[in-house]
């Protein structure tokens, strides 16, 4: 059996090696390392794929979130509503810009921002809402956007884990995740469903004025070369990363289909086991399974992780400490937030390997190993 990886990037690369190697060699031959033609090609292709007017590539997903908040002219002390159950970057950029993170609990099934709790958290100082499409499942965007319109508060979608997913509204219309809020952000970190071979990110919007401002901020605040209208940053997608993304983007739906097949196999393998809650799939969310995350009931998550490691099965905990309990947010009143669902989930979740290259024997070995642990260690 091929060694099991959380994400097997090497085997994925080998399937596209001739195209990638040729495209990278062309960049090296042309020496157009910054803003080469492949960057614009990718930008245009991603705009078409997402059905969004503007895609602005940048250096990474964290920069994408920071630039999005800068483009909204948020001021120190403004409140930004976001989940605590997420990768730290979502909340980190809020604090970096001297804004106030307002942590809100998540839905216990979807792990995404609970719209009811969002509504309760709004104050006159609330200036943005940042839902996270965690693990590849959509947040409840219809009620979130209703709250946005009601209170005139912009929504920044953190779509780092769910590119290619979509959300179906009650009227039957469907939109790609990242293209629903006023701004969407994503990451092309190598392990993402659409990943490059280094760092990369992008920002999406249908607002022409916002797009112009985002482009300016991402390029040192320049309106024209050497004319700097606002304080900006230096954040761009380099040409070598763009050529990889140009090759992978047409394969994204195929990659997602492969991930969903792995999730189907896990779901079937764990069906009827009382100690396991498999990932929920809401009818209006097309889950793209960036992670396959179990909730354990009556079994020790950390012991399972160790048991699997002994059998050379990697398993990860995303995330063991929620943002509101991190030391970095002590001065922002993190410990004052009462988030029982978040605290419960962080003690129970464990993510199993899932990627585009998984074999049937690998899957069966993982499923059998989890079952073996539960048979030996159930409380």
């Amino acid at each position: 059996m091929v060694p099991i990886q959380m994400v097997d990037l090497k085997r994925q690369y080998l399937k596209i090696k001739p195209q990638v190697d040729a495209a990278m060699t062309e960049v090296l031959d042309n020496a157009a390392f910054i803003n080469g033609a492949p960057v614009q090609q990718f930008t245009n292709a991603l705009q078409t794929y997402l059905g969004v007017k503007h895609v602005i590539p940048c250096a990474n997903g964290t920069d994408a979130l920071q630039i999005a908040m800068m483009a909204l002219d948020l001021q120190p002390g403004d409140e930004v509503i976001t989940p605590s159950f997420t990768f730290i970057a979502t909340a980190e950029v809020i604090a970096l810009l001297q804004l106030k993170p307002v942590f809100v609990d998540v839905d216990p099934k979807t792990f995404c921002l609970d719209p009811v709790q969002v509504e309760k958290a709004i104050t006159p100082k609330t200036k943005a809402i940042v839902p996270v499409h965690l693990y590849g499942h959509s947040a409840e965007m219809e009620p979130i956007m209703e709250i946005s319109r009601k209170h005139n508060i912009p929504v920044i979608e953190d779509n780092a884990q769910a590119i290619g997913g979509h959300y179906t509204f009650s009227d039957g219309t469907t939109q790609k995740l990242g293209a629903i809020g006023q701004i969407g952000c994503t990451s092309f970190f190598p392990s993402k469903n659409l990943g490059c071979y280094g760092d990369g990110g992008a920002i999406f919007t249908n607002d022409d004025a916002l797009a112009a401002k985002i482009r300016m901020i991402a390029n040192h605040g320049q309106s024209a070369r050497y004319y700097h209208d606002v304080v900006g940053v230096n954040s761009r997608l380099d040409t070598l990363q763009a050529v990889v993304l140009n090759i992978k983007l047409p394969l994204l739906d195929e990659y997602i289909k492969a991930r969903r097949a792995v999730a189907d196999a896990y779901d079937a393998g764990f069906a009827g086991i009382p100690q396991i809650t498999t990932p929920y799939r809401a009818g209006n969310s097309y889950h793209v399974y960036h992670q396959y995350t179990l909730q354990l009931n009556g079994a020790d998550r950390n012991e399972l992780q160790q048991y699997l490691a002994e059998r050379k099965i990697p398993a990860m905990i995303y995330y063991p400490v929620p943002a509101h309990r991190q030391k970095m947010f002590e001065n922002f009143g993190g410990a004052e937030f009462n988030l029982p669902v978040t605290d419960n989930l962080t003690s129970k979740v464990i993510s199993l390997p899932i990627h585009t290259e998984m074999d049937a024997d690998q899957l069966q070995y993982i499923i059998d190993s989890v079952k073996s642990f539960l048979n030996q260690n159930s409380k």
Side-chain angles (χ1 to χ4, degrees), residues 12 15 251-265 286 288-289 354-358 363:
Q12 186 188 70
K15 288 186 175 180
L251 301 172
L252 178 56
D253 288 344
E254 179 184 322
Y255 288 163
I256 291 169
K257 184 178 179 181
R259 286 174 172 271
R260 285 172 62 88
V262 172
D264 289 343
Y286 183 74
V288 298
Y289 288 99
I354 187 166
H355 54 79
T356 57
E357 311 306 313
M358 292 196 75
L363 277 167

Side-chain angles (χ1 to χ4, degrees), residues 4 29 87 95 174 197 248 259 316:
I4 297 171
D29 288 342
F87 181 60
T174 296
Y197 292 164
K248 283 191 169 187
R259 286 174 172 271
M316 297 294 292

Side-chain angles (χ1 to χ4, degrees), residues 285-340:
S285 172
Y286 183 74
H287 202 321
V288 298
Y289 288 99
H290 176 59
Q291 305 295 349
Y292 184 89
T293 303
L294 301 175
Q295 291 184 66
L296 293 188
N297 312 294
D300 189 286
R301 180 264 311 277
N302 296 330
E303 289 181 5
L304 173 59
Q305 186 182 35
Q306 179 61 35
Y307 182 88
L308 294 176
E310 291 168 358
R311 283 150 185 78
K312 300 189 184 304
I313 300 171
M316 297 294 292
I317 298 167
Y318 305 115
Y319 300 93
V321 182
H324 75 290
R325 297 198 179 279
Q326 296 283 356
K327 185 176 181 180
M328 67 189 293
F329 291 115
E330 284 179 355
N331 293 335
F332 291 86
E336 299 171 9
F337 291 96
N338 180 29
L339 308 177

Side-chain angles (χ1 to χ4, degrees), residues 120-248:
K120 291 179 180 177
I122 289 174
T123 75
K125 292 185 177 181
T126 306
K127 301 302 179 183
I129 301 168
V130 185
V132 179
H133 304 307
L134 197 70
Y135 302 150
H137 192 287
S138 173
E140 271 291 355
M141 291 306 295
E142 186 162 12
I144 289 173
M145 294 310 297
E146 288 172 357
I147 293 168
S148 168
R149 288 187 290 271
K150 176 181 175 182
H151 297 279
N152 194 30
I153 299 170
V155 169
I156 302 171
E157 292 176 77
D158 183 338
N159 196 33
Q161 298 188 12
I163 193 163
H166 54 72
Y167 181 87
T168 302
F169 290 82
S170 57
D171 64 2
T173 59
T174 296
Q175 282 184 272
K176 289 286 189 184
L177 301 181
I180 300 171
Q182 282 77 11
I183 306 178
C185 301
T186 201
S187 165
F188 302 125
F189 188 78
S191 64
K192 304 298 186 188
N193 292 23
L194 178 62
C196 54
Y197 292 164
D199 275 316
I203 308 159
F204 325 128
T205 186
N206 287 305
D207 186 306
D208 295 342
L210 263 179
K213 190 165 188 181
I214 289 166
R215 286 191 184 95
M216 198 179 342
I217 292 170
N219 188 27
H220 298 287
Q222 292 185 108
S223 57
R225 193 167 189 180
Y226 303 129
Y227 289 82
H228 306 268
D229 294 1
V230 297
V231 174
V233 298
N234 176 26
S235 186
R236 56 199 170 206
L237 181 72
D238 70 62
T239 310
L240 285 169
Q241 304 309 329
V243 298
V244 175
L245 293 168
N246 274 326
I247 293 164
K248 283 191 169 187

Side-chain angles (χ1 to χ4, degrees), residues 69 72 74-75 77-83 90-91 93-95 97-104 121 123 125-131 153-154 156 337:
M69 293 180 197
L72 293 176
L74 304 185
Q75 300 299 310
D78 285 348
E79 295 178 356
V80 179
I81 293 174
T82 195
T90 313
V93 296
I94 298 171
L97 295 173
Q98 300 182 52
L99 311 171
K100 181 181 178 182
V102 176
F103 296 113
V104 166
T123 75
K125 292 185 177 181
T126 306
K127 301 302 179 183
I129 301 168
V130 185
I153 299 170
I156 302 171
F337 291 96

Side-chain angles (χ1 to χ4, degrees), residues 338-370:
N338 180 29
L339 308 177
V341 175
T342 294
D343 286 331
N344 182 56
L345 288 174
T346 54
S347 69
K348 291 184 175 181
V349 295
I350 186 168
S351 297
L352 300 179
I354 187 166
H355 54 79
T356 57
E357 311 306 313
M358 292 196 75
D359 301 324
D361 56 345
Q362 291 178 319
L363 277 167
Q364 195 59 55
Y365 178 64
I366 295 167
I367 291 167
D368 290 344
S369 296
V370 172

